[in-house]
Amino acid sequence: MSVPSPALKTDHMILRGGRPLEGEVTLRGAKNALPKIMVAALLSGERCTLRNVSRIADVSIVSEMIVAMGGEVSSPEPDVLEICAANLRPMERSVLKEFSGKSRIPILTCGPLLARFGDAPVPSLGGCRIGSRPVDFHIRALQELGATLHDEAGNAHLTCERLTGNKIRLDYPSVGATEQVILAAVRAEGVTELSNAAMEPEIMDLIMVLQRMGAIISVDVDRVITILGVKELKGFDHSTLPDRLEAASWACAAIATNGKIFVRNAKQYHMMTFLNRYRQIGGDFRVTPDGIEFWREREKLRSTALETDVHPGFTTDYQQPFVIALTQAEGVSIVHETVYEQRFGYVDALNRMGAKIQLYRECLGGLKCRFGQRNYKHSAVIVGPTPLHGAEIDIPDLRAGFSYVIAALAAEGVSKLTNTGLIERGYENLVAKLRGLGAEIVE
Ligand code: EPU
């Protein structure tokens, strides 16, 4: 049976706002966990079963990439993937060319390919346009594990005899670089101690998969992950954790449209920082064994001051949908974005819809941030509440895209959103879910 691909293939959406979103949506596996676990399957020659798989673009892209490298990927049931990399081949230039630029995931194949073949091409990366998003931490960490970088006429690749464990400290707790080190060190010789590591729930899910495969990995509360390399890894059977970022997006949709949404499979444990903020601004929620229900508790939402940060801080991926809710809060809210230097690109269009948001280069917050005194408008001051009205908007990135959908549904009148295909990267069955909640999608 073929691999599931995203159902939504539209490039635009016309929405009429002004109605509360009410009803239920179901979450499946997290966008920021699924494709990485698929890459982990390349470390083994045995069959790997991945459950709770969402039909999102990154899953299709990584499936195609694995097949193009000689692996087998099938889908015996709609939300199950079986991967077998027994016949995996080194990545050819043509494969690299085809998948470079489509997604952020190919860079994570470096560790598994070095372990299997001693050679890994370094792809140029796709993903959302929200900052420069370099891969220097990834490459430096792989070099610290013993890989050599060759950059022949722009065709960069890494080689090694066998990777060797080392003490590695990341300059910043990067999610991707943490995953890179883990995926490379599990089959390296000896111990790797990674400090200043990211600790996102999706990384913990990856570590659990690797432990099932035979890896020996321990996690300390002070951002230290220790990996004792092993010679071989087995297959796995794993059900991916649900997508907390999608859950928070629907929670923001409920509060911004004054509706009520039950998010089936949402987990409180993964979302505690978000839930605190949600309640603080006047939202509320009810946790049940099957999910979390979200609604607006106070008629007038309260403003707040917050800073995005790595987990367990307020995750940057919550920022854009949350700002839509803040346009409806009384008073002045401040948001200091400390993870990406350019994650407020979506604000101009919101202002055209009636929001009052001003951006600043200064750090409007207490967190030590890499973007202060540089030329990045990474702090936002939001004055509310402002009624929103429909507009024509081109979507620049995934989270901004979903946020415009919420803004359009909270607004009076009709909005036309273009480039909606980008939302497919992280939101499965978006149109069906929106319709199920009573959204008026004209086209
Ligand atoms: N960074 C470097 N050098 C590196 C790697 C990262 O300077 O080698 C910087 C980045 O430029 C950024 C910061 O470190 O300023 C954090 O980047 P990180 O590596 O943590 O991000 P990522 O792994 O590329 C993942 C998610 C993002 C999410 C971030 C932060 C995936 C596929 N993507 O990206 O998800 O925002 O972690 O949590 O897991 C999204 O879901 O909308 C999304 C963009």
Side-chain angles (χ1 to χ4, degrees):
M1 207 174 283
S2 68
V3 172
S5 62
L8 175 69
K9 280 286 174 220
T10 53
D11 68 348
H12 76 273
M13 219 189 270
I14 298 176
L15 302 152
R16 192 187 309 277
R19 275 196 208 171
L21 292 188
E22 283 174 348
E24 177 176 325
V25 290
T26 299
L27 298 180
R28 289 205 282 182
K31 159 195 163 275
N32 289 351
L34 283 165
K36 287 105 181 256
I37 299 172
M38 294 171 72
V39 170
L42 304 184
L43 285 159
S44 169
E46 292 185 11
R47 180 163 301 279
C48 301
T49 305
L50 188 52
R51 302 178 192 277
N52 201 24
V53 177
S54 317
R55 291 171 183 237
I56 51 172
D58 265 354
V59 169
S60 310
I61 293 168
V62 177
S63 298
E64 286 165 23
M65 185 181 72
I66 293 174
V67 170
M69 291 162 67
E72 289 166 35
V73 185
S74 61
S75 181
E77 290 166 47
D79 65 349
V80 177
L81 276 189
E82 287 197 341
I83 304 171
C84 182
N87 299 320
L88 199 75
R89 299 184 295 266
M91 200 192 272
E92 289 161 18
R93 281 269 152 223
S94 57
V95 175
L96 179 72
K97 231 173 142 185
E98 189 183 342
F99 293 96
S100 281
K102 281 190 180 172
S103 149
R104 302 278 302 162
I105 305 303
I107 187 79
L108 294 178
T109 59
C110 288
L113 292 181
L114 283 170
R116 299 251 333 228
F117 308 115
D119 194 319
V122 180
S124 65
L125 291 178
C128 290
R129 291 169 276 150
I130 50 184
S132 57
R133 307 188 78 181
V135 291
D136 50 333
F137 302 163
H138 295 244
I139 304 300
R140 207 179 314 138
L142 290 166
Q143 287 173 315
E144 284 175 308
L145 290 171
T148 306
L149 177 68
H150 311 263
D151 196 358
E152 292 142 6
N155 288 330
H157 71 120
L158 291 153
T159 57
C160 70
E161 283 294 320
R162 185 176 176 196
L163 294 177
T164 311
N166 203 348
K167 277 194 173 209
I168 299 174
R169 183 175 173 82
L170 297 179
D171 289 347
Y172 182 80
S174 148
V175 169
T178 299
E179 292 159 342
Q180 181 73 263
V181 172
I182 296 169
L183 285 165
V186 278
R187 281 188 54 183
E189 175 90 53
V191 180
T192 298
E193 185 190 272
L194 175 66
S195 55
N196 207 23
M199 313 289 269
E200 269 57 9
E202 293 77 17
I203 296 177
M204 298 306 127
D205 208 47
L206 175 66
I207 290 176
M208 287 199 294
V209 171
L210 289 165
Q211 191 179 45
R212 281 177 208 191
M213 295 173 78
I216 302 171
I217 304 176
S218 60
V219 180
D220 291 328
V221 282
D222 56 352
R223 297 200 175 279
V224 175
I225 298 177
T226 308
I227 306 126
L228 177 59
V230 295
K231 282 220 167 74
E232 262 182 6
L233 290 169
K234 301 181 285 228
F236 62 81
D237 188 330
H238 179 74
S239 184
T240 319
L241 86 170
D243 199 313
R244 69 192 161 111
L245 306 176
E246 183 178 346
S249 303
W250 291 117
C252 294
I255 204 173
T257 65
N258 203 1
K260 194 170 214 180
I261 302 179
F262 180 71
V263 184
R264 185 168 292 281
N265 298 334
K267 294 268 181 282
Q268 179 185 13
Y269 179 63
H270 301 149
M271 300 182 68
M272 288 179 66
T273 310
F274 176 85
L275 295 174
N276 287 335
R277 281 290 170 178
Y278 195 73
R279 188 167 269 160
Q280 207 182 323
I281 67 164
D284 212 349
F285 53 88
R286 185 175 59 91
V287 178
T288 78
D290 302 322
I292 308 180
E293 188 169 45
F294 296 94
W295 66 91
R296 185 193 287 200
E297 177 64 13
R298 283 172 59 94
E299 199 191 318
K300 293 183 175 168
L301 296 180
R302 295 190 200 97
S303 52
T304 192
L306 69 85
E307 300 178 81
T308 63
D309 200 1
V310 290
H311 185 80
F314 191 91
T315 301
T316 172
D317 304 314
Y318 296 151
Q319 184 256 103
Q320 288 139 309
F322 203 74
V323 163
I324 309 298
L326 291 180
T327 64
Q328 303 310 307
E330 289 226 312
V332 178
S333 295
I334 299 174
V335 178
H336 180 207
E337 168 62 59
T338 75
V339 181
Y340 291 115
E341 64 273 38
Q342 288 171 29
R343 218 174 193 181
F344 283 121
Y346 67 103
V347 155
D348 282 351
L350 273 188
N351 284 342
R352 278 198 283 117
M353 295 180 80
K356 278 194 192 147
I357 306 177
Q358 175 98 33
L359 299 182
Y360 293 87
R361 290 186 176 82
E362 289 75 13
C363 296
L364 300 184
L367 275 183
K368 204 169 153 230
C369 160
R370 295 162 295 149
F371 314 132
Q373 306 309 324
R374 295 171 69 195
N375 224 6
Y376 301 118
K377 290 189 174 175
H378 68 293
S379 295
V381 173
I382 304 133
V383 180
T386 45
L388 300 177
H389 51 78
E392 284 204 12
I393 302 174
D394 190 49
I395 290 173
D397 71 79
L398 164 71
R399 302 289 164 204
F402 189 88
S403 306
Y404 289 144
V405 170
I406 304 174
L409 293 170
E412 283 302 322
V414 173
S415 294
K416 180 173 181 184
L417 307 182
T418 51
N419 209 13
T420 45
L422 266 182
I423 311 180
E424 285 174 61
R425 301 180 76 91
Y427 297 89
E428 183 186 39
N429 289 337
L430 180 69
V431 172
K433 284 181 181 172
L434 286 169
R435 288 213 161 104
L437 294 170
E440 196 177 336
I441 303 178
V442 182
E443 192 182 313

